[in-house]
């Protein structure tokens, strides 16, 4: 169900300005097994607003978390890259913050316990919290105590009563996904021991704009964070951002380190440096998302004109069945042009896309009659691997289009471009 806020998620101010107008889309990851009657597929608004008080960028209309996360099926352990990422994450935390045997680590949005398993190897006590019932119960049966639900100040108080205070609380892909950031932050304040650390990772809107990465805008994300509003927000609750690291995931993200105000860690220069850069780039001015808007229009124009000028080719496929791909399909107005979506993942094959009910099939289909086929690579971050895996398609006259961040076409003269 669609919910609507009328105040900022961080500072509760009700003066908000439209910053980016986007086409409404269906719920981006609602790929489904049965072909649905289109009449019942709702399109939800995706516009981004900026708070005129603290500067925070956010959706005001959003879908209730229960609809999005309770039946969540993605498991962290299915991604080798993520498993390695979390292995070194745990090692860094233990070494940098001197965590000792029996210290308590709490992870908000712990999924299948991949990160907590690494912490457990250091003999730390671990508790996970995750709303996806079946993933959470599997994690618990594998020895990672996982509470099914959403983190809040109430749940934090219960955890504190039962297990004591936490030395470390982490939250990856949560701070951009949750509507109740105030309740979550009050809970963290209460649960964290005096010298404890809270660490979270989110996409960084400055990098989204710079790299023109707009496909991470979909309904799972409610907020697009930057440092200045977060710094003010945490200080309201006597918490202090003392360090920020820039990381490369999702087209540019930040890992933010928080302690109690007056805590043991000295603030690193990077915190003020990033805030100054945000200000000097006029991130908090009225047309700060214009570049992103222009980038989307340029990708749409280039892709649609290319398809129009090459309409002799009959069949257009999309490559990649993920939530980011749904955003690209709709923002580039490709959703009615695509015959099928291709994906190597067999679990996704035979599903239908949200909205237009486009069937997901195996990429094998492009190996025959290649010269009448065009493939738009929606999973653009994997474009190089996809092209390399399908070189024969190009050799036989097929064409790959990579629509973003900058439009490229790979056709007969592909060797020149590779
Ligand atoms: Zn605000």
């Amino acid at each position: 169900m669609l919910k609507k806020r009328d105040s900022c998620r961080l500072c509760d101010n009700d003066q908000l300005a439209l910053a980016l107008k986007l086409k409404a889309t269906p719920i981006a990851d609602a790929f489904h097994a049965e072909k649905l009657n289109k009449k019942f597929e709702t399109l939800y608004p995706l516009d981004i607003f900026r708070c005129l008080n603290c500067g925070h960028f956010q959706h005001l209309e959003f879908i209730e978390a229960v609809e999005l996360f309770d039946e969540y099926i993605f498991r962290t352990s299915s991604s080798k890259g993520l498993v390695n990422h979390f292995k070194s994450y745990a090692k860094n935390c233990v070494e940098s913050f001197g965590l000792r045997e029996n210290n308590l680590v709490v992870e908000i949005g712990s999924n299948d316990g991949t990160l907590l398993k690494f912490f457990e190897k250091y003999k730390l006590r671990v508790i996970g919290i995750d709303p996806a019932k079946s993933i959470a119960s599997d994690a618990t049966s594998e020895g990672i105590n996982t509470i099914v639900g959403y983190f809040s100040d109430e749940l934090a108080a219960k955890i504190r009563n039962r297990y004591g205070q936490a030395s470390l609380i982490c939250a990856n892909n949560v701070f951009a996904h949750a509507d109740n950031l105030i309740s979550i932050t009050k809970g963290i304040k209460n649960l964290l021991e005096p010298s404890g650390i809270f660490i979270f990772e989110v996409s960084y809107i400055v990098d989204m704009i710079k790299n023109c990465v707009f496909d991470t805008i979909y309904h799972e994300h409610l907020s697009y964070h930057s440092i200045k509003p977060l710094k003010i927000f945490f200080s309201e609750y006597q918490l202090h951002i003392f360090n920020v690291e820039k990381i490369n995931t999702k087209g540019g993200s930040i890992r933010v380190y928080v302690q109690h105000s007056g805590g043991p860690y000295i603030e690193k220069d990077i915190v003020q440096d990033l805030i100054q850069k945000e200000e000097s780039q006029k991130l908090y001015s009225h047309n700060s998302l214009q570049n992103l808007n222009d980038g989307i229009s340029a990708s749409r124009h280039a892709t649609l004109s290319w398809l129009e000028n090459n309409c002799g080719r009959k069949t257009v496929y999309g490559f990649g069945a993920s939530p980011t791909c749904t955003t690209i399909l709709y923002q580039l107005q490709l959703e009615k042009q695509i015959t099928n979506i291709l994906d190597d993942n067999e679990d996704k094959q035979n599903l239908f896309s949200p909205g237009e009910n486009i069937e997901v099939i195996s990429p094998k289909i492009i190996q025959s009659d290649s010269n009448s086929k065009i493939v738009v690579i929606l999973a653009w971050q994997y474009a190089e691997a996809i092209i390399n895996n399908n070189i024969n398609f190009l050799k036989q006259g097929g064409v790959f289009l990579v629509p973003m961040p900058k439009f490229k076409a790979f056709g007969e003269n592909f060797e020149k471009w590779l």
Side-chain angles (χ1 to χ4, degrees), residues 81-102:
L82 276 177
V83 174
N84 289 333
H85 170 75
F86 284 134
K87 187 178 179 184
S88 61
Y89 182 112
K91 184 169 182 278
N92 283 342
C93 287
V94 171
E95 288 171 358
S96 307
F97 301 112
L99 297 177
R100 289 184 310 276
E101 210 170 311
N102 275 328

Side-chain angles (χ1 to χ4, degrees), residues 14-31:
D14 62 2
Q15 301 292 303
L16 296 128
L18 181 64
L20 183 64
K21 177 104 191 115
L22 291 173
K23 207 175 152 189
T25 74
I27 298 178
D29 70 343
F31 286 84

Side-chain angles (χ1 to χ4, degrees), residues 9 68 93 101 170 174 217 226 252 287 289-290 310 334 376:
R9 217 162 251 121
L68 293 176
C93 287
E101 210 170 311
C170 11
V174 169
I217 304 172
S226 52
N287 58 355
L289 298 192
Q290 190 59 41
N310 293 275
L334 291 170
V376 183

Side-chain angles (χ1 to χ4, degrees), residues 284-327:
Y284 306 107
S285 72
H286 74 282
N287 58 355
S288 56
L289 298 192
Q290 190 59 41
N291 280 353
L292 203 51
N293 189 45
D294 293 348
I296 298 170
S297 302
S299 288
R300 177 169 54 232
H301 179 73
T303 309
L304 294 180
S305 348
W306 198 97
L307 290 173
E308 204 179 306
N309 294 333
N310 293 275
C311 55
R313 292 171 184 267
K314 290 188 181 59
T315 321
V316 183
Y317 297 97
F319 203 116
S322 70
T324 53
C325 299
T326 305
T327 297

Side-chain angles (χ1 to χ4, degrees), residues 8 11 51 54:
C8 170
C11 74
C51 170
C54 76

Side-chain angles (χ1 to χ4, degrees), residues 85 87 94 98 124 172 202 228 238 240 338 340 406 411:
H85 170 75
K87 187 178 179 184
V94 171
L124 299 161
N172 298 303
V202 282
K228 186 187 160 193
Q238 289 77 50
H240 171 215
I338 301 285
N340 283 103
K406 214 168 168 34

